[in-house]
Amino acid sequence: MNIVSIGGSDPSGGAGIQSDVKDLQLLDAHALTVVTAITGQNTSKFGLIQPSSKKIMKDQLDMIFSDFKVEGVKIGMVYSSEIIKTIHNSLKKLSIPIVLDPVIKSTTGGMLIKNSAINDFKKYLIPLATVITPNKFEVEFLSKSKINSKKSLKNSVEIIQKLGSKNVIVTGLSLEKGKIADFVKTEKNHEFIIGRKISTKNHGSGGNYSAAMVFSLAQGKSITESAKFAQKFTFESIKGAQKRGKGITITHKKIDKLQNLLSKSITNFIEIKDISDRIPECQTNFVFAKELPKSVNDIVGISGRLVKSGNSVIKAGNLEYGGSTHVATAVLEINKKFKNIRSAINLKYSSSVISKLEKSGLVVKSYDRLKEPKRIKNKEGSSIQWGISDVLSKSKTPPDVIYHKGDIGKEPMILIFGEDPQAVIKKISKVFS
Ligand code: PXL
């Protein structure tokens, strides 16, 4: 997925395009960047601003949009009227999600937009936004109205909506002690999304929110779903904030070890020659559990699975805890008996694949869904648990492969297990390469 970040350079790496590149990479998207200005700043103070010329702004935008299939745009620091109009001209005909983060002042006090550009910001950029994500100060500034109650908050947001942004999210409100609230207003509804608050002054959280927001919208998620996703992403970024300089901390979302390892193995899997022939009708999931998983929520899976697309396999969705039910349930079951087995993948059944797996020296076991008790059949999701436990009741050593040949209306399936995703890939590579 390609996402464009249009914004300023922050040499401290805490905000601006540097932070967006980092966040989008973490989300497994490719960040394209259009630099509106170079700022001089660190974690204590704000220095100079050198805006990009109209000519180089237009060239950057033309280069990006004439080459890449762009699926989402985030706009941060825009600085001048001239830059605003150039962005407007480039984006006005697009029909992809545009997230406008109306950055006005930096945490360390620098003005990120000229006073003379505010009217054009409202006239040219707000109407382009799928969603605008101001904090309290920014809504007050743009709506020219003070917020001191829920009613005045709604009024101010409606002023912004009248300027042309269908959806407005006011981020980081403090309504209750220990809690943070994001106010989400769409054309038809409004709601507060509540999360845990971490009270620290940091550099970068607004940008983390809008980057996660555009990523989620570009994946086709709704405003509400994306707002929840962005809140969680921002919470984790603030939780992991690091003191890199002498001043305030820089937000930083830690890479989850399990997600990272699984992600690498998914890349290896996708690269296996002709592997798309091995994807079943119900698609493939690849999962990795924490040690001693208690539920599927302790297991990372792909929210949208590995999907066959022509002759290739694509990862649809994200790596999420609870992202798989079926394959994750199989791992939960096997892990009860063999604690070191924490990963699995499901592949399309074929008898020739089974004999190749057997010939390669792997321990291959099977169960018969025709023998499944009726009470299990009628209970959604319990078949796999029954099947695996049936196999394990007869196994002293951990099986590498468990398969079944299906039932009426049930697709046959192969599951390959391993200690971790790389171990699973190694087993797959014995027969497919
Ligand atoms: O977080 C707002 C922001 C966005 N873009 C740039 C910045 C800042 C805050 O300092 O410097 C370039």
Side-chain angles (χ1 to χ4, degrees):
M1 171 175 287
N2 296 317
I3 303 228
V4 184
S5 161
I6 303 174
S9 160
D10 171 2
S12 79
I17 50 165
Q18 285 84 350
S19 164
D20 286 346
V21 171
K22 193 170 105 169
D23 285 346
L24 291 168
Q25 153 131 32
L26 200 62
L27 293 166
D28 212 11
H30 178 63
L32 302 155
T33 57
V34 172
V35 184
T36 56
I38 299 171
T39 71
Q41 59 178 305
N42 57 31
T43 55
S44 309
K45 55 179 190 268
F46 198 90
L48 301 178
I49 294 175
Q50 175 67 58
S52 296
S53 68
K54 183 177 169 182
K55 218 168 138 187
I56 193 65
M57 270 306 296
K58 185 173 180 314
D59 202 49
Q60 292 181 82
L61 288 159
D62 289 349
M63 287 293 177
I64 295 303
F65 286 106
S66 63
D67 188 7
F68 298 88
K69 179 173 177 269
V70 177
E71 287 163 89
V73 179
K74 170 185 157 168
I75 309 172
M77 177 181 182
V78 289
Y79 195 61
S80 74
S81 235
E82 190 177 70
I83 292 172
I84 286 168
K85 287 178 190 160
T86 312
I87 296 170
H88 171 87
N89 273 329
S90 233
L91 304 188
K92 64 186 175 194
K93 292 211 177 80
L94 293 183
S95 51
I96 52 175
I98 298 178
V99 175
L100 180 59
D101 187 5
V103 293
I104 291 161
K105 237 186 195 174
S106 88
T107 335
T108 48
M111 278 303 281
L112 303 168
I113 184 162
K114 278 177 159 178
N115 268 325
S116 61
I118 303 292
N119 281 339
D120 283 339
F121 183 88
K122 293 181 188 174
K123 185 172 165 189
Y124 292 107
L125 291 187
I126 293 187
L128 292 183
T130 309
V131 53
I132 180 168
T133 60
N135 59 26
K136 181 167 173 255
F137 161 77
E138 289 157 353
V139 199
E140 289 182 330
F141 183 91
L142 292 170
S143 66
K144 292 190 179 141
S145 64
K146 201 86 195 135
I147 297 169
N148 45 31
S149 63
K150 284 189 182 172
K151 188 159 183 287
S152 58
L153 169 67
K154 192 159 168 267
N155 282 341
S156 302
V157 164
E158 279 166 358
I159 294 171
I160 310 281
Q161 280 183 307
K162 284 206 185 88
L163 291 170
S165 175
K166 289 191 186 78
N167 307 294
V168 179
I169 303 179
V170 185
T171 60
L173 295 163
S174 295
L175 303 180
E176 295 172 60
K177 213 173 151 221
K179 297 266 191 313
I180 203 88
D182 297 324
F183 180 62
V184 179
K185 181 143 187 355
T186 60
E187 278 175 301
K188 292 188 190 112
N189 298 310
H190 61 272
E191 64 181 314
F192 285 97
I193 294 176
I194 311 289
R196 257 193 301 155
K197 181 174 177 166
I198 303 175
S199 292
T200 53
K201 193 171 174 184
N202 61 64
H203 186 44
S205 53
N208 303 138
Y209 188 95
S210 45
M213 186 81 208
V214 70
F215 171 77
S216 178
L217 290 175
Q219 285 195 312
K221 300 275 164 64
S222 70
I223 297 282
T224 305
E225 281 173 306
S226 301
K228 287 180 183 160
F229 177 79
Q231 187 182 76
K232 195 163 164 243
F233 187 89
T234 309
F235 174 82
E236 282 162 14
S237 302
I238 298 172
K239 193 169 138 198
Q242 299 173 329
K243 193 165 165 72
R244 291 272 174 188
K246 297 191 186 80
I248 57 175
T249 57
I250 286 173
T251 57
H252 178 78
K253 188 177 182 307
K254 288 204 182 86
I255 296 171
D256 182 279
K257 256 196 187 153
L258 263 57
Q259 286 174 342
N260 196 32
L261 286 172
L262 182 58
S263 176
K264 284 182 183 151
S265 299
I266 288 170
T267 307
N268 297 147
F269 177 75
I270 288 172
E271 284 168 357
I272 298 174
K273 194 170 169 278
D274 296 330
I275 202 67
S276 64
D277 296 343
R278 307 298 163 198
I279 303 294
E281 293 292 320
C282 69
Q283 317 286 6
T284 285
N285 217 323
F286 196 172
V287 307
F288 190 17
K290 287 182 184 171
E291 281 182 36
L292 307 176
K294 288 190 185 66
S295 76
V296 295
N297 292 327
D298 289 330
I299 304 179
V300 186
I302 309 156
S303 62
R305 304 190 192 184
L306 293 167
V307 180
K308 186 176 162 128
S309 166
N311 289 329
S312 52
V313 174
I314 50 171
K315 189 185 103 209
N318 306 316
L319 298 188
E320 286 171 14
Y321 285 91
S324 155
T325 322
H326 199 75
V327 182
T329 302
V331 170
L332 266 184
E333 198 55 34
I334 200 166
N335 185 272
K336 284 185 198 163
K337 184 160 178 179
F338 300 108
K339 305 284 181 228
N340 57 339
I341 304 296
R342 288 163 53 202
S343 183
I345 194 167
N346 68 308
L347 298 176
K348 184 174 175 165
Y349 171 81
S350 99
S351 53
S352 68
V353 168
I354 292 298
S355 41
K356 276 188 199 163
L357 287 163
E358 281 167 343
K359 276 193 199 124
S360 72
L362 296 174
V363 178
V364 179
K365 298 276 158 101
S366 69
Y367 61 92
D368 186 353
R369 284 194 66 159
L370 298 170
K371 290 192 183 136
E372 189 181 326
K374 237 202 173 116
R375 64 183 162 81
I376 305 274
K377 269 188 198 176
N378 295 337
K379 210 172 141 212
E380 182 67 26
S382 54
S383 286
I384 190 141
Q385 197 177 2
W386 170 81
I388 303 289
S389 70
D390 182 58
V391 168
L392 295 184
S393 64
K394 302 162 202 155
S395 310
K396 287 212 172 70
T397 50
D400 298 302
V401 178
I402 298 180
Y403 72 93
H404 70 78
K405 292 187 184 171
D407 191 357
I408 301 156
K410 302 288 173 195
E411 196 182 8
M413 196 65 61
I414 303 175
L415 283 160
I416 303 181
F417 296 92
E419 284 92 355
D420 56 41
Q422 267 310 299
V424 173
I425 289 291
K426 242 182 164 170
K427 291 174 191 178
I428 296 176
S429 307
K430 284 181 182 249
V431 280
F432 313 114
S433 51

